[in-house]
Amino acid sequence: MKMKDEVAIVTGAASGIGQEVAIQLSREGVNVVLVDLNVCDKTIQQLEGSSYLECIGDIRDEQFVKATVQRTIEKFGEIQILVNNAGTCCRLDIEHMTMVDWDRDLDTNLKAAFLFTQACIYPYMKEAGYGRIVNISSVSGINGGVVSGDEKDGRSGPAYAASKGGVIALTKWVAKEVGKYGITCNSVAPGATATSITAGVAYDTSKQVIDRMGQPSDIANAVMYFASKESGYTTSQVLKVDGGISIG
């Protein structure tokens, strides 16, 4: 892929999908900005062939987001790729969910994606006439929650589904707005994937066409296409990487 020496911001880079995305980007020679609430030591140890910048803080905080983008510009001078990946998932049903639970998922999954998208496009990607924005949504944002085999935690909660549905809508809106600037905006929608969000929850993958849990590498592989120059005629798309659970 033609990505060498580009600069990518990846949120949620300390583990899971974000970690794998950062590692795969580094293998292509991309300089990566690792954003997380936790330190990214395990990710840094696996980076290959590129420089990095670690930014630790709360992605729901507008000032932190602006500072992260500014630090990126100061170190690398440009931003070509943004991967909005960081997320939280409350599994309480609507009867028992509190506003704290609701706000956590909406702010982490949707508000943060908006903040980073806005800060990267204006003015940097717009002025450069190029950009690749990839939002990690979920099939929960399409079908209202991935059902597992766990009676207690049967599916992701309403805040998670609503936030990921919002990410999909934001993806489409942004794509229509920024295509004229040479910027694309796409989304990858994972199904049940082995990350900290799904830890301890039993999924009956026998109901899928591909009978296994997804791995972070499965999602990262899809992200890599959307983040590359080769995807220049593709925008506003939502690619379901879900083992076929959404068929039919």
Side-chain angles (χ1 to χ4, degrees):
M1 291 183 178
K2 302 171 184 177
M3 307 166 72
K4 184 175 173 56
D5 296 326
E6 291 188 352
V7 179
I9 294 177
V10 182
T11 69
S15 63
I17 293 169
Q19 180 182 77
E20 184 64 26
V21 169
I23 292 168
Q24 290 201 24
L25 286 169
S26 76
R27 289 173 184 161
E28 296 292 332
V30 176
N31 301 306
V32 290
V33 180
L34 310 171
V35 183
D36 207 292
L37 194 60
N38 303 303
V39 296
C40 299
D41 292 354
K42 292 182 179 179
T43 303
I44 291 169
Q45 292 170 5
Q46 300 178 71
L47 296 180
E48 302 178 20
S50 66
S51 297
Y52 72 90
L53 173 66
E54 183 183 37
C55 296
I56 306 302
D58 188 347
I59 62 173
R60 300 168 295 183
D61 180 349
E62 183 178 7
Q63 295 309 310
F64 170 73
V65 172
K66 289 181 177 180
T68 296
V69 174
Q70 185 59 38
R71 286 183 64 191
T72 301
I73 294 299
E74 289 172 358
K75 182 173 178 65
F76 297 113
E78 56 191 357
I79 304 169
Q80 285 85 12
I81 301 165
L82 168 65
V83 182
N84 287 308
N85 162 76
T88 58
C89 178
C90 178
R91 294 183 179 276
L92 293 175
D93 61 25
I94 198 166
E95 178 182 2
H96 299 99
M97 179 164 285
T98 68
M99 286 308 302
V100 172
D101 301 319
W102 177 268
D103 288 345
R104 184 186 302 114
D105 280 5
L106 266 291
D107 287 351
T108 307
N109 301 343
L110 182 55
K111 176 184 174 182
F114 160 73
L115 290 174
F116 268 103
T117 298
Q118 182 185 57
C120 288
I121 293 175
Y122 304 102
Y124 304 110
M125 288 182 176
K126 179 182 177 182
E127 288 183 352
Y130 180 85
R132 296 286 184 267
I133 300 170
V134 188
N135 296 322
I136 305 301
S137 57
S138 170
V139 292
S140 292
I142 299 170
N143 63 19
V146 177
V147 178
S148 75
D150 192 316
E151 292 183 2
K152 178 178 179 294
D153 295 317
R155 58 177 172 157
S156 48
Y160 183 79
S163 67
K164 292 303 189 178
V167 167
I168 291 170
L170 177 65
T171 297
K172 294 177 179 294
W173 194 97
V174 170
K176 291 180 179 180
E177 182 72 8
V178 301
K180 58 192 174 188
Y181 305 132
I183 304 167
T184 64
C185 187
N186 293 286
S187 180
V188 177
T193 305
T195 67
S196 59
I197 284 181
T198 59
V201 180
Y203 286 87
D204 182 5
T205 59
S206 66
K207 297 177 181 179
Q208 299 175 178
V209 177
I210 301 172
D211 185 6
R212 66 172 176 86
M213 288 284 285
Q215 297 300 314
S217 58
D218 294 313
I219 314 306
N221 291 338
V223 171
M224 291 296 288
Y225 167 68
F226 285 141
S228 70
K229 287 185 174 67
E230 286 85 346
S231 65
Y233 197 52
T234 304
T235 197
S236 189
Q237 298 304 301
V238 181
L239 176 59
K240 291 179 282 187
V241 184
D242 65 354
I245 192 64
S246 299
I247 295 175

